[in-house]
Every structure is written in C-alpha cells, then in structure tokens.
C-alpha cells in the first residue's frame, strides 16, 4: 500500500460518511497485489486451499452455473485473501469512519459476477441492508469494505448505495438474492421524506468503498464479457456485542462464538484489524 496518510479519510470524508452512509477510498491496492489476489481467487474456486481449510461454504463449482459466485469466509482457506480481509489500513479507515477505537473482522465474501453480455442469467444482488442479516449484533455497529479487483461501473454491475438510507432504520425489503430490483423498489416502505436515489460506486481496481450496515445497496447485471471480481470485507467495531434470539442467530458465524457465555465477538475467530494506540 502507498503512504498510509494519503489513504485515510479526512474530517470532511468522515462527515460525508456519517451523513450518507458510504465513502469511496482512493486506490489502496497496487497492480501486483491485485494480480496475486485474482490468482488466489482462482485457486479457491479450484478447491486449492493453502491453509488446508475450506471456506465456510459456497466455493463455486462449475455445476452451479453462471450466476453470482459468493464464497463466505475465504480468509479461512487462503493467506493472500486473509491478508486483505485483515488489512490494518482497511481497519484504520473503518475505525475513523465508524468513530471506533478498534475494528474486527466479522466475515468476508469473495464475489465473482461473471460477464453476461446476453443477460441470460442473473447475477444481480437485490436491494438489502446488511444488518437485516446481522441482527445477532446488538447494534448496527458494522461496516463493509468492498475491495474492487477490477474497474467497476454500471456496465459490469457495480454496487449501488442509497445515500442517507443508513438513517432510515431497518426496512421491509431486504433480499440479497432477489433479481427483480424494480419490484423490490416499488414494494419498499420508505420514510416519508426519504428519496431513493442510488449512487453507483464507480471505482478503479484497487479502490475500496465503505458502506454502513444499514445503508441500502445492491447491484445490477454485468453486461460485459469480463467478470467483476471483489472481496467484501465485513467489519465490526470492537465494542460490538452478540444478541441472542434474533433472525441473525441463523448466521453462519454465530456458531463460532463458542463457550457458554460467548457473548463477545472477541475471540480468535474474529481477528482484530486495527486498534488505536
Ligand atoms: O457485490 C455486490 O454487488 C454486493 C455486495 C454486498 O452486498 C456487500 O458487500 O454488502
């Protein structure tokens, strides 16, 4: 990574994030690292796990067809991907945006949206708020760093975020896998003064967008002939606490808390990326 100080958000950037629920960082990863990451992504898809441990699930196999490939906890399987999922600069940016003293990894998602110029298969990510799936955290003190491995724009189905939506609370429409985003939008029960105007996260490869766990986001089709590749690094502030008995209890990582009073997300399963001195 280049000089760390040029990469961190300014006061104005932090204020922008607080107001809008997202922020796009400058290029954090250079070409050589991106090349390695793409190669390691291919290794995971080929079932080659350098740690000897498989990802949580969903490492893609050809029988699954040409939709979105979503592989959870790829950092279990691969050290290059793990270095990115636990990158201290990403952690420091998250701590500044969230106003937190420390940042831990919640989980990662390796994402591959195949090129689909004839639009014959899906690949959309339906409108959702991540916290809808993460209510096992007592408060929405989570944020995602979405790392672009390729240049992304509307043509290849870049992520889109709805500014200020992190201030609207949990809404009635949350479905990552829904393909009909227009239908979702029409059914959305928004606050009266809300305006739903998604902003495309147009980025160069190596840039990283950050979005708050309550920010509404989704992505459309990749109409190019090349894949859109990325790692979504889902992070939480160090003071995030487990809350039992919610829809989030079905989340794969809840099982990792372990122990009778495992009420803190503070064990080894949730590595710390950054802590303020
Ligand atoms: O990659 C996408 O299009 C969506 C990813 C996403 O939902 C997330 O990172 O929270």
């Amino acid at each position: 990574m280049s000089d760390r100080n040029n990469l961190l958000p300014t006061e104005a950037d932090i204020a922008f994030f607080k107001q809008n629920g997202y922020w796009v960082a400058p290029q954090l990863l250079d070409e050589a690292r991106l090349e390695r990451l793409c190669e390691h992504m291919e290794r995971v898809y080929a079932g080659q796990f350098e740690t000897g441990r498989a990802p949580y699930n969903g490492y893609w196999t050809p029988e699954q067809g040409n939709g979105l490939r979503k592989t959870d906890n790829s950092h279990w399987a691969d050290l290059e991907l793990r270095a990115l999922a636990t990158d201290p600069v990403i952690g420091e940016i998250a701590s500044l945006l969230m106003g937190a003293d420390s940042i831990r990894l919640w989980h990662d998602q390796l994402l591959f949206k195949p090129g689909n110029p004839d639009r014959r298969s899906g690949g959309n990510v339906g409108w959702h708020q991540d916290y809808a799936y993460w209510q096992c955290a007592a408060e929405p003190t989570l944020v995602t760093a979405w790392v672009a491995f390729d240049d992304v724009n509307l043509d290849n189905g870049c992520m889109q975020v709805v500014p200020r939506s992190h201030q609207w609370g949990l809404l009635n429409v949350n479905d990552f896998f829904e393909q009909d985003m227009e239908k979702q939008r029409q059914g959305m029960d928004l606050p009266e003064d809300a305006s739903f105007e998604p902003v495309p996260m147009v980025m160069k490869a190596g840039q990283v967008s950050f979005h708050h766990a309550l920010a509404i986001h989704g992505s459309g089709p990749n109409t190019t002939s090349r894949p859109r590749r990325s790692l979504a690094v889902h992070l939480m502030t160090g003071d995030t606490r487990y809350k039992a008995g919610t829809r989030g209890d079905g989340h794969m990582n809840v099982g990792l808390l372990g122990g009778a009073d495992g009420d803190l997300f503070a064990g080894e399963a949730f590595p710390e990326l950054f802590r303020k001195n």
Side-chain angles (χ1 to χ4, degrees):
M1 287 198 181
S2 32
D3 182 9
R4 175 183 144 278
N5 289 327
N6 300 331
L7 305 175
L8 299 179
T10 62
E11 287 300 325
D13 296 331
I14 296 167
F16 179 92
F17 177 83
K18 283 198 176 125
Q19 188 174 29
N20 293 291
Y22 73 93
W23 181 66
V24 180
Q27 187 172 5
L28 302 187
L29 279 65
D30 63 19
E31 261 180 46
R33 189 168 178 195
L34 288 167
E35 222 171 89
R36 285 199 307 276
L37 284 161
C38 290
E39 189 200 316
H40 281 250
M41 179 180 220
E42 285 308 319
R43 287 193 204 174
V44 170
Y45 293 142
Q48 294 165 13
F49 308 133
E50 63 182 343
T51 61
R53 184 181 184 190
Y56 174 77
N57 69 3
Y59 68 90
W60 176 85
T61 53
E63 311 76 75
Q64 289 165 11
N66 206 28
L68 180 80
R69 301 183 196 175
K70 171 167 130 13
T71 305
D72 294 315
N73 279 341
S74 68
H75 75 278
W76 289 355
D78 188 274
L79 298 175
E80 188 72 36
L81 294 166
R82 184 176 179 86
L84 180 59
T86 56
D87 190 294
V89 175
I90 288 181
E92 186 165 2
I93 294 175
S95 86
L96 289 165
L97 295 176
M98 295 297 282
D101 288 343
S102 65
I103 292 289
R104 285 183 177 276
L105 179 64
W106 169 222
H107 69 94
D108 76 71
Q109 285 188 333
L110 190 62
L111 296 159
F112 180 108
K113 190 185 282 204
N116 182 21
D118 55 10
R119 293 172 179 252
R120 247 192 263 142
S121 58
N124 293 357
V125 173
W127 297 118
H128 66 281
Q129 298 163 295
D130 295 330
Y131 188 61
Y133 299 100
W134 299 341
Q135 291 172 65
C136 53
E139 305 285 339
T141 46
L142 298 98
V143 60
T144 291
W146 195 97
V147 185
F149 293 179
D150 296 290
D151 293 354
V152 283
N153 55 37
L154 284 172
D155 290 342
N156 64 358
C158 68
M159 202 166 53
Q160 301 182 54
V161 179
V162 180
R164 297 171 193 257
S165 54
H166 67 307
Q167 300 178 23
W168 301 343
L170 262 185
L171 297 166
N172 63 333
V173 175
N174 271 302
D175 192 347
F176 184 100
F177 293 103
E178 175 61 56
Q179 296 299 298
D180 190 341
M181 298 172 79
E182 189 45 43
K183 186 183 86 190
Q184 274 188 302
R185 188 171 169 154
Q186 282 165 14
M188 231 178 257
D189 204 0
L190 299 178
E192 238 165 54
D193 55 347
S195 98
F196 189 95
E197 285 168 29
V199 171
M201 300 290 104
V202 175
M203 293 191 282
K204 289 285 174 206
Q207 278 190 275
V208 181
S209 65
F210 289 80
H211 63 267
H212 187 276
L214 280 172
I216 302 175
H217 58 288
S219 63
N222 177 1
T223 59
T224 72
S225 53
R226 296 167 58 81
R228 187 214 75 170
R229 296 165 294 184
S230 60
L231 186 72
V233 183
H234 301 306
L235 301 167
M236 56 189 166
T237 62
D239 58 2
T240 301
R241 296 287 177 270
Y242 170 63
K243 180 176 159 200
T246 71
R247 171 188 180 191
D249 267 346
H251 192 278
M252 67 200 183
N253 272 6
V254 168
L256 300 175
L257 289 171
D261 49 6
D263 61 343
L264 301 180
F265 291 108
E268 273 174 23
F270 308 102
E272 190 173 81
L273 283 76
F274 175 79
R275 173 173 291 274
K276 237 192 227 171
N277 285 327

